[in-house]
Amino acid sequence: MSILEVENIKFSYSGEQLYQQASMRLFEGEHAVLVGPNGTGKSTLLKLLDKSLKPDAGSINWMANKKIGYLDQYAKINPKLLVKSYLYDVFLPLFEKEKEMEKLYLSVANEPEEKHERIMHWASDIQEQLLDSDFYQMKSLIGNIIHGLGLQMDILDMQIKHLSGGMRAKIILGKLLLENADVLLLDEPTNFLDVKHIEWLTKFLNGYDKAFIVVSHHEEFLMDIAQTVFALENGQISRYKGDYLFYLSERELRIAQQEKAFVTQQKFIKKTEDFIKKNIVRATTTKRAQSRRKMLAKIERIKAPEQSRNYHFHFPLSRTTGKDVFISNDLEIGYSDSLLEPLNIAILKQEKVAITGKNGVGKSTFIKTVLDIIPKLAGEYHWIDTAHIAYFEQESKFEDGITPFQVVHHRYQHFTKKDVMSLLGNHGIDYEMATRDINTLSGGEQTKVRLALLRHQKGNVLILDEPTNHLDFAAKEALKDALINYEGTLILVSHEKEFYQDICDYEISLYEPEE
């Protein structure tokens, strides 16, 4: 049975038409993924399904009385709340039922004996509801999810404001999983998860007996969870009833068929237009020409298949460094207490190093410490004096109302308009994207703008903190090639082993200090 009906929706974002008479259906219990290149409107579609946005035309209808759970990693949360208060909020209706049950049991002593059986029956009914809702396994359930997402139970007593970006995202995801919604809408749920925690989430979703739609650029994850694939193509939502590998092969066939049909139709259109031009002015053939003109006006035009964007990522450097690029001696990092064992690290010229470790362990804190963004707690570190550092921060926000063109032009004021547009174009940002508010772009498109800013810094030390978050497959491959060819020293923070293992010479794994 269909739990969701989307019919003929249209939606424009800052003048860009994302969907044109697009339709889709989701069935009860269906495990689906939503795919498409950056900028095709995947996150926007989830917001439309969640009804936090409204379509310009068409309709989106959910089956009545269905609970929809939407993962919004940018949701506003009261920073003063304790994590346990935020998570336990899921169970507030059950807590209220428990209070009602306790009042009923206490009221028995004050009621006539003839009412006792009825009161006890009501209380027993409530207790059955609590048992059916796993209320008494609440702490066990929360513990399972917290550990599954790579967190520790002591996080429950922390305030939201003290969480790292990754920890905060996990708590939001954890609460959503606790709610047991009829449909989960998950936008990039693996962005802050390590391999073993992605495996846990995969197992959780595969065992979920209700429906979900997941947006992710993590292909192995998609392969493991997809039973149906929805693909955003040419403003439409195409349905592929099969797993992700089926989608890849079937898509190639559909593209080939569409290309063939497009070429055939274009030849027919040209032949018909030539006939009209030759015969429209002749008295003996004008009626035939007019008839064909009417026929041509009614024909449904086949669109050319969308071409994959070409990316030209490149990180040149103007000069090299000496041998010992970075050295730390008993370096301790953190905000009040040390997050890690004292760090003794040596990174040499042209080495490519992956900084790894579980989420929340302090990878970004390490980077910000050695860049003097936050102070060290103890120990020493030293950069060689010829180091010229180009840095890509994991989380970076832009001002409202500024365009990608303005962002680049502000950084490189000597650039001509042509220079700016060429740089953005090489990173997959076309004219339309370059000239609208950058905060209306997708996360992947914003990442590409930030990568474009690095090209002309010509850093001989390149530090990238989780650069693949939000990037589509083609952009990831282009970035991987650029980093393999980079001639300077690379420090790469990444949780995607399949990305960094072909780039880096070795890993530096960060661990929490032993108790």
Side-chain angles (χ1 to χ4, degrees):
M1 183 180 293
S2 176
I3 193 172
L4 167 68
E5 295 276 356
V6 177
E7 295 184 357
N8 300 321
I9 62 167
K10 291 183 178 181
F11 188 77
S12 296
Y13 211 34
S14 297
E16 181 186 13
Q17 188 81 37
L18 288 178
Y19 322 115
Q20 301 169 13
Q21 304 286 345
S23 301
M24 67 180 285
R25 297 174 74 193
L26 181 73
F27 296 93
E28 285 201 82
E30 190 165 30
H31 290 182
V33 300
L34 176 63
V35 301
N38 289 141
T40 50
K42 300 183 295 297
S43 295
T44 300
L45 182 58
L46 291 192
K47 290 178 182 176
L48 287 165
L49 299 183
D50 179 56
K51 301 203 171 174
S52 49
L53 289 176
K54 291 184 179 180
D56 300 329
S59 62
I60 297 174
N61 294 306
W62 289 98
M63 184 185 289
N65 302 317
K66 293 298 179 182
K67 184 178 181 182
I68 313 303
Y70 168 55
L71 176 63
D72 181 1
Q73 294 180 352
Y74 305 101
K76 291 182 179 178
I77 307 173
N78 182 350
K80 295 180 181 178
L81 272 181
L82 293 178
V83 169
K84 64 183 176 183
S85 300
Y86 174 70
L87 287 177
Y88 287 6
D89 178 59
V90 174
F91 295 95
L92 282 180
L94 299 179
F95 279 118
E96 293 300 319
K97 284 187 177 182
E98 185 188 40
K99 287 180 183 178
E100 183 183 353
M101 179 187 69
E102 289 171 350
K103 284 181 181 178
L104 286 170
Y105 281 130
L106 290 171
S107 70
V108 172
N110 300 319
E111 294 290 343
E113 189 174 340
E114 61 268 20
K115 290 187 178 181
H116 287 186
E117 186 177 348
R118 189 189 309 168
I119 293 170
M120 295 297 287
H121 180 70
W122 287 344
S124 179
D125 280 348
I126 293 173
Q127 189 162 32
E128 285 295 324
Q129 292 174 36
L130 292 175
L131 287 168
D132 289 342
S133 302
D134 291 328
F135 177 69
Y136 297 106
Q137 298 177 27
M138 176 183 64
K139 289 185 178 178
S140 173
L141 181 61
I142 288 175
N144 176 42
I145 287 178
I146 284 177
H147 288 306
L149 295 175
L151 300 170
Q152 301 300 319
M153 291 301 289
D154 58 8
I155 198 174
L156 291 172
D157 293 314
M158 293 175 63
Q159 285 185 302
I160 299 288
K161 66 181 180 182
H162 293 311
L163 303 183
S164 69
M167 292 164 73
R168 182 180 178 277
K170 288 180 181 182
I171 290 299
I172 294 172
L173 174 58
K175 180 171 182 176
L176 185 62
L177 299 182
L178 282 168
E179 289 175 341
N180 198 32
D182 295 299
V183 181
L184 292 175
L185 305 176
L186 304 181
D187 193 357
E188 298 287 4
T190 66
N191 265 359
F192 297 96
L193 300 183
D194 299 323
V195 173
K196 72 175 184 177
H197 307 129
I198 292 174
E199 290 173 355
W200 177 87
L201 181 59
T202 299
K203 185 177 179 181
F204 181 95
L205 291 176
N206 285 335
Y208 200 65
D209 60 358
K210 299 176 183 178
F212 63 70
I213 301 176
V214 172
V215 171
S216 176
H217 292 111
H218 195 297
E219 287 209 311
E220 187 176 344
F221 178 61
L222 295 179
M223 288 179 188
D224 288 338
I225 66 170
Q227 295 174 2
T228 298
V229 177
F230 294 111
L232 290 174
E233 301 168 332
N234 294 306
Q236 301 296 312
I237 306 169
S238 301
R239 179 187 182 88
Y240 295 81
K241 185 54 185 169
D243 62 18
Y244 189 73
L245 289 175
F246 170 80
Y247 153 72
L248 292 176
S249 60
E250 182 69 15
R251 180 173 176 270
E252 289 300 314
L253 289 174
R254 292 192 191 184
I255 288 174
Q257 291 169 353
Q258 186 180 351
E259 177 69 28
K260 185 177 180 180
F262 173 75
V263 170
T264 300
Q265 188 184 68
Q266 288 300 303
K267 287 180 180 178
F268 172 76
I269 290 171
K270 186 177 186 311
K271 183 178 179 181
T272 305
E273 287 175 341
D274 289 344
F275 177 87
I276 293 168
K277 285 180 184 177
K278 289 179 182 177
N279 293 282
I280 194 70
V281 294
R282 296 180 185 173
T284 55
T285 58
T286 186
K287 286 186 178 181
R288 289 170 60 197
Q290 288 172 345
S291 176
R292 295 202 184 183
R293 178 183 282 171
K294 290 178 182 178
M295 178 270 295
L296 204 57
K298 293 179 180 178
I299 196 171
E300 186 174 346
R301 303 294 174 111
I302 298 170
K303 291 183 177 181
E306 285 185 344
Q307 300 297 317
S308 298
R309 292 189 189 278
N310 292 317
Y311 301 102
H312 302 285
F313 296 164
H314 183 44
F315 305 104
L317 57 153
S318 57
R319 58 178 181 170
T320 60
T321 65
K323 179 184 174 184
D324 299 315
V325 175
F326 175 83
I327 296 172
S328 71
N329 294 304
D330 294 329
L331 176 65
E332 294 186 34
I333 65 168
Y335 294 89
S336 56
D337 298 320
S338 185
L339 291 173
L340 304 167
E341 295 283 357
L343 299 171
N344 293 285
I345 295 171
I347 299 174
L348 305 181
K349 175 183 177 181
Q350 294 183 322
E351 284 189 331
K352 295 178 181 178
V353 182
I355 305 294
T356 63
K358 69 179 186 180
N359 286 106
V361 76
K363 300 186 295 294
S364 295
T365 303
F366 166 70
I367 295 299
K368 290 178 180 178
T369 300
V370 300
L371 291 176
D372 294 329
I373 297 172
I374 60 177
K376 66 185 181 183
L377 296 183
E380 299 294 335
Y381 63 87
H382 173 72
W383 290 99
I384 195 167
D385 57 7
T386 51
H388 176 50
I389 299 171
Y391 170 47
F392 178 96
E393 190 174 0
Q394 180 181 160
E395 297 180 47
S396 182
K397 294 183 179 179
F398 295 99
E399 296 176 18
D400 287 332
I402 191 170
T403 67
F405 179 90
Q406 291 169 322
V407 169
V408 174
H409 196 263
H410 177 74
R411 177 71 63 87
Y412 302 111
Q413 297 184 11
H414 60 289
F415 274 23
T416 65
K417 181 178 180 180
K418 183 178 179 181
D419 292 335
V420 173
M421 296 307 299
S422 175
L423 176 59
L424 289 169
N426 284 333
H427 290 76
I429 305 298
D430 61 23
Y431 179 83
E432 187 278 327
M433 296 178 200
T435 53
R436 62 181 165 103
D437 187 337
I438 194 166
N439 287 315
T440 67
L441 299 184
S442 71
E445 290 164 340
Q446 290 187 32
T447 294
K448 291 167 191 173
V449 174
R450 292 167 58 208
L451 288 170
L453 293 173
L454 296 178
R455 175 176 290 196
H456 293 281
Q457 290 186 37
K458 297 186 177 179
N460 52 27
V461 177
L462 184 59
I463 300 178
L464 304 180
D465 191 355
E466 298 286 7
T468 59
N469 285 354
H470 306 295
L471 285 185
D472 56 42
F473 180 74
K476 278 187 189 179
E477 289 301 297
L479 178 58
K480 181 186 287 188
D481 289 342
L483 295 179
I484 289 171
N485 293 320
Y486 177 60
E487 295 179 350
T489 303
L490 173 67
I491 300 174
L492 173 63
V493 177
S494 177
H495 66 278
E496 293 191 50
K497 189 164 187 175
E498 62 270 26
F499 177 75
Y500 68 74
Q501 65 185 357
D502 296 330
I503 300 168
C504 296
D505 303 312
Y506 60 92
E507 295 179 36
I508 296 175
S509 293
L510 305 184
Y511 299 98
E512 294 173 336
E514 295 183 6
E515 298 266 329

